[in-house]
């Protein structure tokens, strides 16, 4: 029982990071109706920038973290202004292919500058574990979970009460109506990409402090995608719950497969299996908006 409780706790921590990255997917899709297939590579890029500043340039971690966030903002603006804005009005498949190409470019750049070997962040928190329900939990796991919850609360308040957040919600609901009310749609698009880049970098930094980083970290975007679809592509609450569900599901399914079947690696496919089953019942995800077309 303790073994499975440990798996659930670890799954909640990893799932909270999934939720954070899923938030980037949802924000971009709500504003622009584009699925960003470079989200995982943005996670990887932010993690490597913070690692380089902390380890190679010997900057304090907090300063490296803040500089990485600035880098992420600049990356988001550049991607939207230079790559995606010229594609406004073009077929959606063209935009999707551009994000796939962007993912390959970011991954190649990381491999050129840092190679493919695993890099480990220096410990920034005490290593002595806390006891939770009689189980030892590393401080970095607790900090990661709390930070992800805090960020979700901040973004929820931002979207609900701030003028920019309300403008983003209006744009997501109806772009033409928002534009007629004087909202700068292009600026909202740029802001969406900036927020997505920032939350991705934060997710990458958290993962780097838990497991280390390598050039395969970009695959996180593919692992998070089931959480996004499960919760609903246009639902912030769905992104949060979908990430937690997938994180716990991966760990529990891996534990059961090892105990009952003696098999490993089941966590890599478990989320996609459950995703298919759920979408057969709820095609728009758990919290996605159901679209009704009348002919």
């Amino acid at each position: 029982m303790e073994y499975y409780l440990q798996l659930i706790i670890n799954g909640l921590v990893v799932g909270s990071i999934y939720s954070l990255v899923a938030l980037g997917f949802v924000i971009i899709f709500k504003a622009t109706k584009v699925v960003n297939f470079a989200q995982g590579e943005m996670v990887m890029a932010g993690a490597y920038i913070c690692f380089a500043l902390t380890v190679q340039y010997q900057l304090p971690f907090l300063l490296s973290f803040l500089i990485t966030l600035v880098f992420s903002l600049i990356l988001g603006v550049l991607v939207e202004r230079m790559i995606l804005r010229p594609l406004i009005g073009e077929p959606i498949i063209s935009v999707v292919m551009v994000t796939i190409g962007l993912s390959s470019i970011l991954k190649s750049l990381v491999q050129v500058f840092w190679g493919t070997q695993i890099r480990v962040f220096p410990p920034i928190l005490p290593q002595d574990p806390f006891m939770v329900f009689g189980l030892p939990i590393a401080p970095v796991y607790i900090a990661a979970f709390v930070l992800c919850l805090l960020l979700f609360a901040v973004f929820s308040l931002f979207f609900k009460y701030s003028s920019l957040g309300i403008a983003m919600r209006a744009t997501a609901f109806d772009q033409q109506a928002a534009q007629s009310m004087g909202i700068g749609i292009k600026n909202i698009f740029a802001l969406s990409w900036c927020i997505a880049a920032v939350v991705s970098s934060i997710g990458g930094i958290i993962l780097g402090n838990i497991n280390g980083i390598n050039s395969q970290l970009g695959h996180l975007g593919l692992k998070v995608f089931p959480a996004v679809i499960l919760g609903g592509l246009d639902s912030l609450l769905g992104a949060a719950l979908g990430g937690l569900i997938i994180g716990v599901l991966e760990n529990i399914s891996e534990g059961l497969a090892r105990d009952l079947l003696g098999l490993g690696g089941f966590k890599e496919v478990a989320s996609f299996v459950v995703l298919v089953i759920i979408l057969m019942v709820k095609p728009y995800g758990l919290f996605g908006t159901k679209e009704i077309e009348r002919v």
Side-chain angles (χ1 to χ4, degrees), residues 213-236:
I213 57 176
N214 62 16
S215 59
Q216 302 304 311
L217 185 59
H219 291 166
L220 182 70
L222 184 60
K223 295 187 68 175
V224 170
F225 200 63
V228 179
I229 302 298
L230 178 62
L233 259 173
D234 58 354
S235 171
L236 296 179

Side-chain angles (χ1 to χ4, degrees), residues 36 54 63 108 132 142 158 239:
N36 177 24
T54 304
L63 179 58
S108 297
V132 179
I142 298 175
F158 169 77

Side-chain angles (χ1 to χ4, degrees), residues 11 83 101 105 110 115 126 129 161 174 202 217 222-223 239-240 257 259:
I83 299 177
I105 292 172
V110 164
Y161 295 109
D174 191 323
I202 294 174
L217 185 59
L222 184 60
K223 295 187 68 175
D259 286 348

Side-chain angles (χ1 to χ4, degrees), residues 2-12 247-248 251-252 255:
E2 291 184 357
Y3 171 65
Y4 284 100
L5 184 57
Q6 184 81 59
L7 289 178
I8 291 173
I9 293 174
N10 292 345
L12 287 173
V248 172
N251 276 21
I252 292 295

Side-chain angles (χ1 to χ4, degrees), residues 39-199:
Q39 197 75 29
E41 280 66 29
M42 287 183 170
V43 171
M44 178 181 62
Y48 269 98
I49 291 297
C50 188
F51 170 83
L53 293 172
T54 304
V55 176
Q56 296 175 235
Y57 294 97
Q58 299 295 309
L59 296 181
F61 176 78
L62 182 58
L63 179 58
S64 300
F65 180 79
L66 295 176
I67 294 175
T68 302
L69 297 189
V70 174
F71 163 81
S72 301
L73 288 171
I74 295 173
L75 176 63
V77 170
L78 289 177
V79 169
E80 194 278 331
R81 292 290 173 92
M82 299 179 63
I83 299 177
L84 296 170
R85 185 166 294 190
L87 293 176
I88 292 178
E90 298 298 326
I92 193 67
I93 187 63
S94 301
V95 183
V96 170
M97 292 305 298
V98 165
T99 65
I100 293 175
L102 177 62
S103 70
S104 298
I105 292 172
L106 290 175
K107 183 175 181 178
S108 297
L109 288 174
V110 164
Q111 291 178 346
V112 167
F113 286 102
W114 290 286
T116 59
Q117 64 271 32
I118 295 178
R119 307 278 184 158
V120 180
F121 277 81
I124 59 173
L125 293 174
Q127 300 298 297
D128 296 333
F130 292 100
M131 300 304 293
V132 179
F133 301 115
L135 298 173
I137 306 295
V140 66
Y141 278 72
I142 298 175
F145 186 70
V146 172
L147 179 59
C148 289
L149 291 183
L150 178 62
L151 287 171
F152 254 98
V154 168
F155 280 114
S156 296
L157 293 174
F158 169 77
F159 287 118
K160 188 171 184 179
Y161 295 109
S162 72
S163 56
L164 278 176
I166 294 172
M168 291 181 70
R169 288 165 54 199
T171 301
F173 182 75
D174 191 323
Q175 292 184 9
Q176 291 184 344
Q179 195 166 21
S180 68
M181 296 297 293
I183 296 175
I185 301 298
K186 293 182 178 180
N187 292 334
I188 295 299
F189 288 175
L191 179 61
S192 300
W193 279 89
C194 287
I195 294 176
V198 166
V199 297

